[in-house]
Structure formats: C-alpha cells, structure tokens
C-alpha cells in the first residue's frame, strides 16, 4: 500500500511538471521580447522616476509644503507635519524597485551592445536618483543597492560616502560618453543629445559640490576644478534645461492630473507675500487669481487647520498658475537659472574666479526667461537694482538663497534641500504644526525597512540619529 501511494504521487508529480511546462509555453507572448530592449526600458524607467519626483507624495504633499511654495486648503494634516512611517514610501520604493534596477539593466545592455550612450545616460540618471534619496532621507543603501541577487538586505551608506560615490559615477559617465560609441535611443529628456547629457552631468556635479561645501570645502573646490580641467561645460541656456515635457492625458504632468480630480492645494501665503513685496512679475506665472471678486493673488498660510483654511475658502484663494496646471507643463530636473546661481555661489566661496554678482543677476534673468518673461528690459534692471534684490557680497547666502528659492518654485525636493543648506529664506512654522516650531529637515524611512531590512535600518539610525522628521542630515551644517 505504501509503495502504491508513492507510485501515485510520482505519477502526479510528473503530470504536474508536464502541465507547468505546457503552461509556460502557452504563457509566452509571441509579440513581446524576452530580453529587455534598452530604448523602451530607458523611456519607461525615466517616465516612472520623473512622475514620482514631480508627483503628489514627494512634491505636492511634502517638500513643496516644507519649502512654503504650496499650502493645503483641504485635508491639511500634511501641512501641519502629521505623517506616519508609511507617508514617505513612494520615493524609496520607486527608486529601489524600478529606477535603480532599471538603470542598472540599461547599463548592462549598453555594455553588451558596446553602446556608450546607454551606459553614460543611465549612470547620470541613476546618480540623480541616488541624490534625491540621500537629500531626502540621509544615509541610504548605495553600494549594494539594486543588486538583489547579491544583497537582499543592503547596507546603508553614510550620506557623505553617497555624495562622494555619486560624484565618481558622474565623472565616469563623462568618460563613458566621451567614447562616443552610440546614442541612447528612447531618451525622453534630451532626445539622445550626448553634448547636453555631458552638460547635465557637470551641472549635477556642481550641485553636489555645493551640497557638501559647508562640510567639505576642499573636496567641493576639487570637483569644480576637475570639471574645468576636463574642459567640461555646464547647461548654458534654458533650451538645455534638464526636464521632461509632458503631453495630454493620459501622459499629462502629475500636477495637472491631481487637479483634474482633487482641489486640495493652493499657493503658499509665504511666497505670494514675498513676490508681491518685490513686485515680481513671476507671480502671475506661479499663481492663479482667485475665482471670487475682488480677484487677486491670495495664498493660504502654511500649517492652517482645516477650519482656518475652510474659512478662507476655495474660491477666495489662489491655485498654482495655469503654467503649472497645463497638462503639458514640464517637470524640471535642473535649470539654467540653477546653474547660474550655483556658479555665483562657487565664485562667492572663492572656488572660482568668476564674478559672483554678475552670475547672480544672470541667474535671476534666466529664471524670468524660463517662463517667457523676456521683454522686460528696464523692468528687470529696476528689479535687480532694488534694495531687496541687489546682491549682497557680505551675505551671499541670503541673496542667493532667497532668489534661488523663488526660481526653484515647483521643484519641491530641490527647493527644500537648498533652503536647508543655505538657511534662506528664513521660514517659520505655524503654531498649528506638531514639531515644536520646527520644519521637517528629512523624510523618515519607510516602515517596511524596519521589518524587511531591520538590522541595517537600526545601524543607520544609530549612526545618523533618530528616525524623525527633525533629525538634521550630514550636509545640513548650520
């Protein structure tokens, strides 16, 4: 009887194995490639990454609120910094499940094809993803990230080491692109322009050099000197801005998509008041007029309670401007204006011999031009020479910080990072917030890290500090 049971089980096992094989054959899609195609993979990975960067969780519902570019007019809990350890999973999960593995695969496929374009572009975009992660969370998996077959529970690298590693990756990307053995098809940022990718890589290197400048000024200057020695160029016009241009639905930008179904956000009173005081002509670009008369630009105070925001009302407060609500509006990754502000700061710090004030003025003009405000002539000079805008060499951080904050409107993660680094403009938290008068200075790690990568999570917290919104990161020196 026992042998008979074993015999029956064996027959069933063989039959099941045969069925599995037949099902595997049936389930093969004859119209889909079994090996990933790098151009499709590059397009899909980049779109998913930029959507996450520009979307609700990491931009509209967090960093734009922290930078006081936007505010909430309904469901204001996030504007009062009421978050949980599941609030900041989107950037983390997209980066580690899609972006980094995707770009790693593109590098692998590019190497197999002998195509330097794929490898170089993927290295640059992967570096940008790691930069977003470390700017937001601090210590993160870097050296072991995206290598799931080797490291199921990757260690967290210290933020300083991540920045240094990214700088080396971007340097390698430049060397790779210089080989010029192929272009990256499927590129939805620069349409395969190797020269623009090289400029973007250098501009990212400059951004990171300044990110570490308060902690590692010698290294920061070294990076900038290396770029110059290589004969490297930076983004040199708004036509070269690193950005993703969206299209009509269903390929619309995430801001437009959100406003199609929800009405939770308004422009912040902080930036409305600042632009109004400066008579800044970017205000009608950044904000819409109120629906109710008298029509004007009215911001919601950050940190309002639901009842306070409701008392102002939807029709009596300003949505973001039509430019940002247009389905085709671009998601800006790095702009010409930012590069000019960065070059101005590098000069102010003595890292270069360029003229800081001249670059600062050019940066403001470039920001105006980014939104089509190009026929201002005497108006822009009046603006640049006003007491509130005129460059102050004795406090370059204030001059650059305040104008850069305006120029970075809509780029929540970068605006928030620079406000933390430069400490300008000096923002104030509402009394309704729950962090004892403080504004968040980091994202908290996703709760899943505690259960899925527990020991490495504990090691990171032990090294960096408590996993709180108020724990300052390594780069945030002051």
């Amino acid at each position: 009887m026992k042998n008979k049971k074993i015999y029956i089980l064996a027959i069933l096992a063989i039959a099941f194995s045969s069925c599995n094989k037949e099902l595997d054959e049936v389930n093969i899609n004859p119209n889909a490639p079994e090996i990933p195609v790098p151009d499709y993979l590059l397009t899909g990975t980049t779109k998913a990454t930029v959507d996450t960067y520009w979307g609700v969780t990491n931009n509209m519902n967090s960093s734009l609120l922290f930078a006081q570019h936007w505010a909430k007019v309904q469901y204001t809990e996030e504007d009062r910094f009421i978050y949980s350890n599941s609030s900041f999973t989107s950037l983390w999960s997209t980066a580690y499940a899609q972006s980094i593995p995707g770009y790693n695969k593109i590098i692998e496929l590019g190497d197999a094809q002998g195509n330097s374009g794929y490898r170089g572009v993927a290295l640059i975009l992967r570096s940008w993803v790691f930069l977003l992660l470390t700017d937001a969370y601090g210590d993160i998996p870097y050296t072991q990230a995206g290598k799931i077959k080797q490291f199921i529970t990757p260690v967290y690298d210290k933020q300083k080491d991540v920045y240094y590693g990214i700088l080396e990756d971007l340097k390698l990307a430049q060397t790779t692109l210089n080989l010029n053995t192929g272009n990256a098809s499927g590129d939805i940022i620069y349409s395969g322009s190797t020269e623009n990718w090289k400029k973007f890589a250098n501009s990212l290197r400059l951004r990171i050099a300044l990110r570490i400048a308060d902690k590692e000024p010698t290294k920061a200057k070294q990076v900038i000197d290396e770029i110059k020695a290589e004969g490297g160029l930076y983004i040199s016009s708004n036509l070269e801005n690193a950005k993703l241009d969206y299209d009509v639905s269903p390929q619309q930008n995430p801001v437009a998509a959100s406003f199609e179904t929800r009405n939770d956000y308004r422009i912040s009173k902080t930036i409305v008041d600042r632009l109004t005081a400066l008579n800044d002509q970017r205000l009608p670009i950044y904000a819409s007029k109120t629906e109710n008369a008298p029509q004007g630009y009215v911001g919601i105070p950050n940190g309002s309670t639901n009842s306070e925001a409701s008392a102002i009302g939807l029709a009596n407060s300003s949505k973001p401007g039509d430019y940002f609500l247009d389905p085709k509006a671009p998601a800006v990754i790095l702009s010409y204006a930012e590069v000019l502000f960065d070059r101005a700061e590098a000069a102010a710090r003595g890292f270069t011999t360029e003229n800081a004030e001249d670059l600062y003025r050019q940066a403001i003009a470039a920001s105006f031009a980014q939104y089509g405000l190009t026929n201002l002539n005497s108006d822009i000079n009046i603006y640049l020479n006003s007491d509130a805008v005129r460059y102050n060499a004795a406090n370059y951080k204030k001059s650059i910080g305040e104008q850069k904050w305006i120029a970075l409107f809509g780029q929540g993660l970068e605006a928030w990072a620079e406000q933390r680094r430069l400490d300008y403009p000096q923002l104030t938290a509402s009394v309704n917030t729950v962090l004892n008068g403080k504004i968040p200075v980091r994202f908290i790690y996703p709760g899943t890290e505690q259960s899925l990568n527990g020991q490495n999570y504990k090691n990171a917290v032990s090294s960096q500090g408590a996993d709180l919104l108020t724990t300052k990161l390594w780069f945030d020196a002051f």
Side-chain angles (χ1 to χ4, degrees):
M1 177 63 74
K2 183 177 179 181
N3 288 337
K4 186 177 181 181
K5 286 182 179 179
I6 294 173
Y7 176 76
I8 292 171
L9 288 172
I11 294 294
L12 289 172
I14 293 169
F16 182 72
S17 174
S18 176
C19 286
N20 270 356
K21 183 178 180 181
E22 290 175 10
L23 285 171
D24 288 342
E25 292 172 354
V26 168
N27 286 326
I28 293 173
N29 182 354
N31 298 314
E34 293 184 48
I35 300 173
V37 180
D39 53 349
Y40 292 152
L41 187 57
L42 178 59
T43 298
T45 304
T46 303
K47 173 69 162 52
T49 302
V50 178
D51 283 353
T52 301
Y53 158 72
W54 202 253
V56 173
T57 304
N58 307 296
N59 200 31
M60 300 162 65
N61 222 28
S62 55
S63 56
L64 281 174
L65 306 178
F66 304 161
Q68 296 188 10
H69 280 172
W70 287 24
K72 295 205 74 174
V73 69
Q74 296 189 106
Y75 312 108
T76 66
E77 285 74 18
E78 290 86 359
D79 213 356
R80 289 178 283 131
F81 314 143
I82 300 172
Y83 294 98
S84 70
N85 64 7
S86 64
S87 298
F88 300 103
T89 60
S90 172
L91 179 60
W92 189 278
S93 60
T94 300
Y96 286 115
Q98 291 180 261
S99 306
I100 294 166
Y103 291 130
N104 283 347
K105 188 64 179 178
I106 293 165
I107 291 169
E108 178 187 323
L109 294 170
D111 287 347
Q113 294 180 7
N115 186 319
S116 59
Y118 282 122
R119 180 178 180 82
V121 167
L123 275 170
I124 293 167
L125 287 169
R126 190 184 71 180
S127 297
W128 172 58
V129 173
F130 278 125
L131 181 60
L132 293 177
L133 287 165
T134 193
D135 285 346
Y137 298 98
D139 295 357
I140 57 166
Y142 168 69
T143 53
Q144 296 181 358
K147 303 172 183 176
I148 191 67
K149 292 181 180 179
Q150 296 172 266
F151 308 107
I152 297 175
T153 54
V155 300
Y156 287 58
D157 297 87
K158 294 183 182 299
Q159 184 172 66
K160 174 183 173 180
D161 297 332
V162 176
Y163 286 136
Y164 276 43
I166 297 171
L167 286 168
E168 287 303 310
D169 287 345
L170 289 169
K171 192 174 179 180
L172 176 60
Q174 284 284 6
T175 303
T176 301
L177 290 174
N178 285 336
L179 295 174
N180 201 27
T181 59
N183 291 325
S185 299
D187 166 20
I188 54 176
I189 304 297
Y190 283 126
S191 301
S193 171
T194 298
E195 291 308 307
N196 282 340
W197 277 107
K198 289 159 71 172
K199 290 181 179 182
F200 177 35
N202 284 334
S203 301
L204 274 177
R205 291 164 78 185
L206 177 61
R207 178 193 278 184
I208 299 167
L210 293 173
R211 196 79 93 231
I212 68 175
D214 284 333
K215 299 297 289 284
E216 297 289 338
T218 302
K219 175 66 174 178
K221 185 178 186 305
Q222 176 192 330
V223 170
I224 295 170
D225 287 344
E226 285 177 353
I227 296 170
K228 182 178 179 180
E230 295 163 9
L233 301 175
Y234 299 113
I235 290 171
S236 57
S237 78
N238 280 314
L239 294 175
E240 297 172 353
N241 289 347
K243 60 186 174 67
L244 173 59
D245 289 314
Y246 285 97
D247 208 330
V248 296
S249 179
Q251 303 298 335
Q252 74 271 50
N253 85 58
V255 173
S258 175
F259 274 88
E260 286 174 6
T261 57
R262 301 197 63 83
N263 196 18
D264 299 344
Y265 304 96
R266 291 294 184 269
I267 191 168
S268 167
K269 183 178 187 297
T270 304
I271 197 164
V272 169
D273 288 354
R274 185 61 177 162
L275 294 175
T276 301
L278 294 174
N279 194 26
D280 193 309
Q281 296 189 48
R282 287 170 289 188
L283 179 57
I285 305 294
Y286 291 0
S288 300
K289 286 187 176 180
T290 58
E291 294 177 15
N292 282 351
Q295 290 186 319
Y297 300 105
V298 179
I300 294 286
N302 285 98
S304 297
T305 63
N306 284 306
S307 58
E308 288 171 343
S310 178
I312 298 173
L314 298 173
N316 295 314
S317 54
S318 294
K319 294 179 182 180
D322 289 343
Y323 177 93
F324 292 90
L325 299 182
D326 187 328
K328 296 184 178 181
V332 178
I333 299 170
L334 204 157
S335 69
Y336 177 44
E338 180 189 338
V339 171
L340 289 167
F341 279 122
D342 288 346
R343 287 171 57 192
E345 183 181 343
R349 288 178 179 270
F351 295 163
T352 72
T353 58
E354 293 190 288
N355 186 305
E357 180 177 0
D358 184 50
L359 289 165
Y360 167 80
R361 293 169 67 92
Q362 289 181 49
I364 296 171
S367 176
F368 276 72
Q370 183 177 338
Y371 298 103
L373 301 171
T374 54
N375 297 317
L376 302 176
N377 298 325
S378 61
D379 288 346
I380 188 68
N381 288 321
I382 292 170
Y383 182 85
L384 291 169
N385 292 323
S386 64
D387 290 341
V389 176
R390 187 182 298 114
Y391 180 71
N392 180 3
N395 192 354
Y396 68 86
K397 283 191 173 183
K398 182 176 187 295
S399 292
I400 293 173
E402 291 183 348
Q403 278 296 321
K404 196 175 194 181
W405 172 73
I406 295 173
L408 289 170
F409 181 82
Q411 294 175 247
L413 287 167
E414 185 60 23
W416 176 45
E418 286 297 83
Q419 193 281 327
R420 285 177 286 161
R421 183 179 70 84
L422 293 167
D423 297 305
Y424 287 100
Q426 295 180 338
L427 304 176
T428 303
S430 164
V431 295
N432 299 320
T433 57
V434 298
L435 299 179
N436 297 317
K438 295 181 179 180
I439 294 172
V441 292
R442 66 181 291 270
F443 283 179
I444 51 179
Y445 293 121
T448 51
E449 281 297 286
Q450 298 180 44
S451 56
L452 300 178
N453 195 12
Q455 188 55 55
N456 288 319
Y457 165 84
K458 291 177 182 177
N459 293 343
V461 171
S462 176
S463 170
Q464 179 169 266
D467 188 13
L468 301 172
L469 293 167
T470 52
T471 297
K472 293 184 76 170
L473 302 181
W474 173 83
F475 84 85
D476 189 1
F478 302 109

